[in-house]
Amino acid sequence: MRATPILVLRPILPFMMLGAASCQASRSSESPVVIQSDSGAVEWGAYGRDPGGERHAPLDEITRQNVSRLTVAWTFNTGEDMTAPRGRDPALETTPLMVDGTLFISTPRGRVIALDPETGSERWRFDPRVDPALGFGDFTSRGVSTWVDSARTDGAPCRRRIFMATVDARLFALDAATGTSCEGFGVDGSIDLSQGLRNPPDSRSEYEMTSPPAVINGVVVTGSAVADNGRTAMASGEVRGWDARTGALRWTWDPVPQAPDDEAYDDWRGASARSTGAANAWSVIVSDPARDMVFVPTGSPSPDYYGGERIGSNRYANSVVALRGSTGALVWSFQTVHHDLWDFDNAAPPALTTVRRNGAEIPVVLQATKSGMLFVLHRETGEPVFPVEERPVPASTVPGERAWPTQPFPVGIAPLSPHEFPTDSVWGATPADLAECRALAASLRNEGVFTPPSLEGTLQMPSNIGGAHWGGVAVDPARQIAVVPVNRVATVVQLIPREQVDRDEAQREAGRMGYEYAPMRGTPYVMRRRLFTTQARAFCTPPPFGALVAVDLSTGAHKWNVPLGTIQSLVPQAPSEWGSPNLGGAITTRSGVVFIGAALDHAIRAYDIDTGRELWKGALPAGARATPMTYRVREGGRQFVVIAAGGSDVFGTGDAIVAFALPPE
């Protein structure tokens, strides 16, 4: 889920509120995503470049030897106002697409802009007129999707379509050549995605779209972003498939099972279990068109921090779910967190790749989690390729709650971020900070990962922003390396009996200490949380606060683990070894270069995929809480690396799309 608390109380970092056998499908008359065209172009045709989201480009003009020579080739400013009258301010998180010689970007307010990919000049712009006064809990768009209808002739309107899912929950189909709406799709070229849900949203801001849809064999697959912690029966998180030509609803899959014959039906118990909301997929859905499968990363049921109204493991929530793209039928599911009480959504998109293990090549799904783990699952069955064991975890002490007694842990792949936070590791930048942090830690329940929320307060490690987060996994398939950005900061979470909460005092405390309160209506409790910091907002967790981790997919071993970014934009004297909390993902290239922004500082970096050594840092006009992409427009053309920089708040204000390339010969 994504957060819209009843009291908008700003924490130190605003992104705290963010967490069977195969079959061959009958193919529709569509073209697959182009990897390399006849012209020699190397395109970026989906959010993760290919439908399965490896985020790997077979490009080698930019190498480990020459990457330090990269310079800004062009900058495009969207002109979008990065403030909002209500709710969160916009965040520029788009990853562009480059297909058919055009670059396509999206903005938080749902505008789609087509650019010349070599010069950055604007070709057309579409404005869906999103009303920013609605007050969105997560005001962003991470990109668009595309589809070619090969039943239409070259040059025909809407032969190539751009699909845009706006933050106010509308799905648009646009002609890629002109930006005009496609006739015959939905109503006047769009669909209202807030309609037809089991649990309707109580406002436009409760139900959003922040990630691009998946497109598979003529079906557009949408998830949703549902606000966090408002009530037990939040808007429901159905995943739906729509006809790419007409917009007609093809199928619906509900992560909260409603039919008694569903194999997971008994994993949801209690009088309110069937009306539970969320368990939605707000991250990116990926697909395997040849197998007619989509892979859905689901999140926590509502509300995040108390499950007394939804007793059981809550299977399908907090899971990787494989569905048939053509029908929505369940193929398999694997749950990464049972009975979530920590806001441990599967925020990272799954990544489809092939691993070489024990002499065999195995098609797999990689799922990195906010709990700091990397699961490797067989793509066709969901069976773990690296073993997974259920381990006992702490019980809840909250009246009415029944925490699940075990949680799944991969065997052979060490955690990507710390699972324990012993008292002697409490940190402070100054002696006064250290004393304050130690005093706070001494009052909290702290028994390692999966310590449940408590009435006295719990130290949650990893925090609700991860571990791994929506930046997700980038894969180098030839080198068998997965690269994952992670956060390494803790959260303080407390459940307070509702009758003990003084609203006015809560507002004052929010201003002083950065607490966020959420109502969790339908439960006996109000939730409050903030990052584990001093009252002056200094971190109590030891650096590095964020890192970039590489995992050898053949063995499961960590290949390297290095600090990511700096917090020098906030604390100028902070050393680089401190790293930075981060949001955004990495990409890999055939030449062995990893590119990533994501940190709080205003920079994009390049790393050596074999060693983790930083090779280059490029200046940006604002922080880049987005995933970059790379492409070549034609044979012999320049390789460009493009990233969005801006939004607002602690990352810095900006509206820039920045392209880097080697200087012309």
Side-chain angles (χ1 to χ4, degrees), residues 7-27:
L7 307 177
V8 181
L9 310 182
R10 304 280 183 178
I12 179 174
L13 299 176
F15 55 72
M16 177 181 175
M17 298 163 59
L18 308 168
S22 67
C23 73
Q24 187 68 29
S26 59
R27 302 303 299 274

Side-chain angles (χ1 to χ4, degrees), residues 454-626:
S454 60
L455 302 185
E456 67 270 28
T458 290
L459 189 62
Q460 179 182 326
M461 186 74 170
S463 75
N464 57 292
I465 59 170
H469 51 75
W470 63 257
V473 179
V475 181
D476 186 320
R479 294 177 176 86
Q480 291 283 281
I481 297 173
V483 180
V484 192
V486 297
N487 288 304
R488 295 168 55 102
V489 294
T491 303
V492 176
V493 180
Q494 184 177 12
L495 300 186
I496 306 173
R498 187 173 305 281
E499 65 277 6
Q500 297 179 17
V501 176
D502 182 300
R503 183 184 178 92
D504 292 336
E505 175 57 28
Q507 288 281 21
R508 289 190 292 270
E509 186 182 53
R512 294 194 313 269
M513 300 181 63
Y515 275 108
E516 172 199 351
Y517 283 73
M520 301 201 304
R521 292 186 299 274
T523 80
Y525 305 102
V526 169
M527 181 276 291
R528 79 170 184 173
R529 70 181 178 187
R530 67 177 171 91
L531 293 179
F532 182 35
T533 68
T534 66
Q535 291 191 44
R537 317 292 175 85
F539 287 117
C540 294
T541 42
F545 308 126
L548 193 62
V549 184
V551 177
D552 186 321
L553 293 175
S554 296
T555 66
H558 287 196
K559 194 171 178 67
W560 45 263
N561 186 329
V562 299
L564 174 58
T566 75
I567 59 170
Q568 291 169 357
S569 58
L570 299 178
V571 184
Q573 69 272 25
S576 59
E577 292 79 13
W578 284 11
S580 169
N582 55 91
L583 289 177
I587 63 172
T588 67
T589 66
R590 183 164 57 196
S591 59
V593 180
V594 177
F595 290 101
I596 188 170
L600 295 181
D601 56 7
H602 300 176
I604 179 174
R605 290 173 166 82
Y607 293 86
D608 186 318
I609 197 165
D610 289 318
T611 66
R613 181 170 65 93
E614 185 178 311
L615 302 171
W616 167 79
K617 182 172 73 173
L620 295 170
R625 73 182 123 192

Side-chain angles (χ1 to χ4, degrees), residues 25 79 93 123 136 139 163 193 381 526 534 604 643:
E93 297 179 352
R123 289 178 173 169
F136 301 105
F139 198 167
F163 292 104
L193 297 173
T381 66
V526 169
T534 66
I604 179 174
I643 194 165

Side-chain angles (χ1 to χ4, degrees), residues 421-455:
F421 192 8
T423 303
D424 60 7
S425 69
V426 173
W427 182 83
T430 68
D433 287 346
L434 180 58
E436 184 179 346
C437 291
R438 284 176 172 169
L440 177 57
S443 69
L444 301 172
R445 188 177 179 191
N446 175 17
E447 300 168 49
V449 66
F450 297 118
T451 303
S454 60
L455 302 185

Side-chain angles (χ1 to χ4, degrees), residues 335-361:
Q335 192 169 49
T336 58
V337 177
H338 309 314
H339 191 74
D340 186 14
L341 300 174
W342 305 272
D343 192 11
F344 278 166
D345 297 338
N346 280 316
L352 308 186
T353 191
T354 300
V355 300
R356 296 188 290 273
R357 186 159 167 77
N358 300 324
E361 293 201 343

